[in-house]
Amino acid sequence: MGSDSEDGLAGPSTTTTTTTAVVENAWAMKIPKFEAQDNPHGLLEESSFATLFPKYREKYLRESWPLVTKALHDHHGIRAELDLIEGSMTVKTTRQTFDPYIIIKARDFIKLMARSVPYEQAIKVLDDEVGSEIIKIGGLVRNKDRFVKRRQRLIGPNGSTLKSIELLTRCYVLVQGNTVAALGPYQGLKQVRKIVVDTMNNVHPIYNIKSLMIKRELMKDPQLKHENWERFLPKFEKKNLSKRKEPLKKKEKKPYTPFPPEMPQSKVDKQLATGEYFLKPTDKKRRKLEEQKDKQAGSQAKRDQKRMKSFQPPKEDKNKANGTSQTGGSQANGPPVGASTLDMDKLKTKMEKASKDQKKKAKKRKM
C-alpha cells in the first residue's frame, strides 16, 4: 500500500528546476523551441501586418508567392496575401497559429522580400536564432556623389568587402538603394550595423574587418577569455588632410567686458571741460584770433629757419684750422706761411646785405 501511494504521488507530477546563477556568456544559451503543445488554445485576436513593395519586385514575388504561402501556412499557421493592384503584401494570424511571436517574424520576412532579398535567404528569418535588420543609409550622407562612393566602398571590388563582412559576422548582407538588409544571428547584426554606419561616416570598412579578425583569433585563446582586448585591437585616428591655411596676421581678441565702450566726448563736452563754453562771443572771437596768431608765428619761424639754413656755413675741422695733418705730426703753432685769416662774421653780414639788395631789385622790376 505504501509503495503504491508513493508511486501514485510521484507519477503525474513533473519537477521543473530554475537556476538563478550568473550566466557567463548569454549568447551561448540555447533557446528552447516553442511547440504547439505550449499553447494549445491558440490566439484570441487576429494580428496583421502589411508592407509595400516596388514595381520591379512584382514579377519575382508573383513567381515565388506559392512558396511563401506554403511555408507560412503549413508550418506556422500564417495567412499571406499579395495585392498586385495596390502593390502590398499582408500577413495575418489564423486559428491554427500557436506561436504569438511568429507574426513579428512573418512581418520581417515580407519586409526582406520587399527589399530584394531572395526567398531562399529571407525564409531563414522564421527561425528563433535568426534575426533581421534593415539599416537606412540614405539620410547619413547629404551629398549624392559622396553617398554613392561610400556605398560602393561598402560593397568593394567585385563584392569582396561585402563577402568578408558576411564571413566574419555569419550574416547575409544585401546593399540595395538607400537601405542595407542584414539577416543572421543577433550578435552578428550588431557588428554589421556598426560597420555600415562607420562606412557611411567616412571610416573605411577594412578597419572594422581587421578588428573582427583579431577578435576572432583572440576567442580561440582560453587564457585571454576574461581579459580586456583593447590593447590588441588597432587604434585608428582621423587625419584631416585638407587643413585650412592660417592667416599671416592673427587678430588678438580683446578681453571680454560686459560693459559697452566709453562714449567719445562731443564738442560741447570739450568746451565745458576747458571753460570755453561759458565765455562771451567777443571773448571767444578774441581767443580764437590769438590762437591763430600764435599758430602763424610758429609756422613763420619754421619757414625762416628753413630758408636761412642754406646760408649757414659748414663746420670746419679743428685739425685743419690748427694746421695739423691727419696723416701724422703736428706742425708749428700759428697759421702756415702765405695763409690768410677769414672773418666769418663779416662774410655773413656781407651775404645778408647782398640778398636784401637782390630782393629790392626784384620788387622794383615787378612795379
Side-chain angles (χ1 to χ4, degrees):
M1 290 291 288
S3 62
D4 292 336
S5 63
E6 288 176 1
D7 294 335
L9 290 170
S13 65
T14 57
T15 58
T16 56
T17 58
T18 57
T19 58
T20 57
V22 178
V23 180
E24 291 184 1
N25 188 7
W27 296 106
M29 291 179 65
K30 289 187 177 180
I31 302 169
K33 195 174 180 181
F34 196 85
E35 300 289 346
Q37 294 83 10
D38 298 327
N39 187 14
H41 303 293
L43 304 178
L44 298 176
E45 296 291 335
E46 183 188 72
S47 301
S48 64
F49 289 100
T51 185
L52 300 174
F53 60 87
K55 186 72 176 176
Y56 61 84
R57 289 291 290 171
E58 183 179 333
K59 184 181 178 182
Y60 180 81
L61 290 172
R62 191 169 59 245
E63 291 174 357
S64 61
W65 199 250
L67 298 172
V68 173
T69 53
K70 186 178 180 182
L72 290 174
H73 188 269
D74 293 354
H75 299 286
H76 305 285
I78 298 291
R79 185 169 75 250
E81 296 176 0
L82 178 65
D83 190 351
L84 296 175
I85 298 169
E86 190 181 350
S88 65
M89 293 180 285
T90 310
V91 287
K92 298 178 181 178
T93 56
T94 60
R95 295 270 185 183
Q96 289 81 25
T97 308
F98 59 90
D99 189 355
Y101 192 71
I102 197 64
I103 188 65
I104 305 296
K105 292 276 190 179
R107 178 201 63 184
D108 296 341
F109 173 55
I110 60 173
K111 276 186 177 181
L112 292 170
M113 293 283 288
R115 294 311 306 158
S116 301
V117 178
Y119 167 79
E120 291 78 10
Q121 297 291 339
I123 196 67
K124 295 177 183 177
V125 79
L126 298 175
D127 297 338
D128 290 335
E129 295 181 356
V130 178
S132 68
E133 189 170 4
I134 296 173
I135 307 161
K136 295 179 181 179
I137 59 173
L140 297 176
V141 183
R142 292 184 179 180
N143 193 342
K144 190 176 181 181
D145 297 335
R146 198 175 295 165
F147 167 75
V148 172
K149 286 180 182 178
R150 292 180 186 179
R151 186 180 63 181
Q152 185 60 34
R153 193 185 296 168
L154 185 65
I155 298 167
N158 299 323
S160 58
T161 307
L162 200 66
K163 190 68 180 175
S164 61
I165 292 169
E166 289 179 349
L167 290 171
L168 289 168
T169 59
R170 295 186 295 120
C171 293
Y172 174 81
V173 184
L174 178 71
V175 181
Q176 176 71 21
N178 291 333
T179 59
V180 176
L183 175 73
Y186 292 100
Q187 193 174 12
L189 291 175
K190 289 171 65 180
Q191 296 168 350
V192 170
R193 169 171 272 280
K194 186 179 183 301
I195 293 171
V196 170
V197 173
D198 286 350
T199 304
M200 300 312 291
N201 289 331
N202 202 21
V203 178
H204 203 279
I206 194 65
Y207 298 149
N208 286 312
I209 289 169
K210 190 174 181 180
S211 298
L212 288 175
M213 290 173 70
I214 294 169
K215 286 179 182 178
R216 193 175 182 182
E217 294 298 322
L218 291 170
M219 280 179 175
K220 298 175 183 177
D221 192 352
Q223 295 179 354
L224 300 172
K225 191 175 182 180
H226 300 288
E227 290 188 15
N228 191 5
W229 292 350
E230 287 186 3
R231 56 195 174 100
F232 300 106
L233 301 177
K235 294 179 181 179
F236 303 100
E237 296 178 358
K238 281 189 176 182
K239 293 181 180 179
N240 294 327
L241 298 176
S242 58
K243 287 186 176 179
R244 186 176 65 86
K245 290 184 178 179
E246 295 181 354
L248 294 173
K249 294 181 180 178
K250 291 184 178 180
K251 292 183 179 179
E252 294 182 359
K253 290 185 177 181
K254 295 179 180 178
Y256 172 74
T257 54
F259 307 105
E262 189 178 354
M263 290 289 289
Q265 287 187 347
S266 63
K267 191 176 179 180
V268 178
D269 293 335
K270 291 177 181 177
Q271 289 178 354
L272 286 168
T274 56
E276 188 182 350
Y277 184 79
F278 304 102
L279 294 175
K280 293 178 181 180
T282 54
D283 295 338
K284 285 183 182 180
K285 195 173 182 180
R286 188 177 67 252
R287 192 171 182 179
K288 195 173 184 181
L289 287 170
E290 288 176 359
E291 288 178 357
Q292 285 180 357
K293 285 180 181 180
D294 293 340
K295 195 175 181 181
Q296 286 174 2
S299 58
Q300 184 67 31
K302 286 181 181 178
R303 281 197 297 271
D304 293 342
Q305 190 178 0
K306 191 175 181 182
R307 195 181 294 115
M308 294 302 293
K309 195 174 182 181
S310 57
F311 298 107
Q312 291 178 0
K315 292 181 179 180
E316 292 184 357
D317 194 358
K318 291 181 179 180
N319 294 331
K320 287 183 179 180
N322 295 330
T324 57
S325 62
Q326 293 180 353
T327 54
S330 62
Q331 295 179 357
N333 294 332
V337 179
S340 61
T341 58
L342 186 65
D343 193 357
M344 294 302 297
D345 294 333
K346 288 182 180 181
L347 183 64
K348 189 176 180 181
T349 52
K350 189 177 179 180
M351 292 295 292
E352 286 176 0
K353 190 176 181 182
S355 64
K356 285 179 183 178
D357 294 338
Q358 285 180 0
K359 286 180 182 178
K360 285 179 182 179
K361 287 178 182 179
K363 282 181 182 180
K364 284 180 181 180
R365 286 174 187 171
K366 289 181 182 179
M367 293 296 287

